[in-house]
Amino acid sequence: NGGVSDAKNLRVKLVLLGDSGVGKSCIVLRFVRGQFDPTSKVTVGASFLSQTIALQDSTTVKFEIWDTAGQERYAALAPLYYRGAAVAVVVYDITSPDSFAKAQYWVKELQKHGSPDIVMALVGNKADLNEKREVPVQDGIDYAEKNGMFFIETSAKTADNINQLFEEIAKRLPRPAS
Ligand code: GDP
Ligand code: MG
């Protein structure tokens, strides 16, 4: 797949949005490298990783994943970051109602300024911290449904639902005509 999309091999830009500390970088590292590093440092500048997955219908999807720290602090730069993105993954931390409110802010931003056909996922991360949960699962489900988003709870720490997140996104991508 020489860098282009065709009917069998899609190549898509995916951006992660959400409050600092919700686990965006850990989700990416878990998905791409199968690792979790609890001492990982804050992302400085932008980081770019890619990962290809194969679907059951023998198509492949190459995710080009953009993970930055900048968008959390410099909201004005965010449109540069999500411009042209086919997929936006909006992440919150299930132990932090503030991060859930911030996720809703990002969804509204994307609805205003993102590509009209962008595929959006709402992700409640740190599901392993269920005893500290402050955002009910149902709140995530309801908000995602109202906004036409795919919803899932994940744990980058235990790997729970990380691959499922990307597989479900892949299934929802618009397919170019063959
Ligand atoms: P980012 O700022 O959104 O990129 O967040 P990071 O990926 O840097 O993670 C922030 C902190 O949350 C780090 O201390 C991680 O170890 C921790 N963290 C990330 N994902 C999880 C998770 O699923 N469960 C738990 N318990 N901690 C997590
Ligand atoms: Mg980060």
Side-chain angles (χ1 to χ4, degrees):
N1 178 14
V4 291
S5 288
D6 57 43
K8 291 240 117 203
N9 305 285
L10 291 185
R11 187 169 145 266
V12 297
K13 174 178 173 181
L14 179 152
V15 296
L16 288 130
L17 293 164
D19 245 355
S20 183
V22 297
K24 299 181 298 298
S25 298
C26 287
I27 289 170
V28 175
L29 285 181
R30 173 59 83 182
F31 174 55
V32 175
R33 302 216 180 112
Q35 295 170 350
F36 179 76
D37 176 2
T39 65
S40 67
K41 294 291 176 304
V42 169
T43 314
V44 177
S47 126
F48 179 85
L49 286 167
S50 72
Q51 176 73 311
T52 303
I53 63 171
L55 297 180
Q56 300 223 312
D57 61 359
S58 84
T59 60
T60 67
V61 176
K62 181 178 185 184
F63 289 110
E64 297 180 339
I65 304 171
W66 297 51
D67 176 27
T68 82
Q71 84 280 3
E72 296 140 345
R73 278 171 286 164
Y74 308 108
L77 295 180
L80 296 174
Y81 170 71
Y82 55 69
R83 177 179 298 160
V87 181
V89 175
V90 180
V91 184
Y92 65 92
D93 168 351
I94 68 154
T95 73
S96 163
D98 283 355
S99 75
F100 187 54
K102 196 63 187 286
Q104 297 179 23
Y105 162 82
W106 284 118
V107 171
K108 291 189 192 99
E109 276 289 301
L110 289 161
Q111 287 167 341
K112 275 189 262 176
H113 305 298
S115 316
D117 55 355
I118 195 165
V119 173
M120 288 197 280
L122 181 66
V123 175
N125 189 44
K126 308 198 187 181
D128 57 287
L129 299 179
N130 198 42
E131 75 283 1
K132 293 188 191 158
R133 174 189 292 276
E134 291 198 32
V135 182
V137 189
Q138 196 61 45
D139 289 11
I141 294 172
D142 290 346
Y143 186 79
E145 193 179 331
K146 273 193 211 115
N147 290 278
M149 304 170 79
F150 168 66
F151 173 74
I152 196 165
E153 286 195 350
T154 59
S155 170
K157 185 174 181 180
T158 66
D160 199 35
N161 275 347
I162 298 291
N163 288 339
Q164 287 83 344
L165 163 63
F166 291 91
E167 281 162 19
E168 290 299 327
I169 289 167
K171 286 186 202 159
R172 286 168 172 76
L173 292 169
R175 300 270 151 181
S178 36

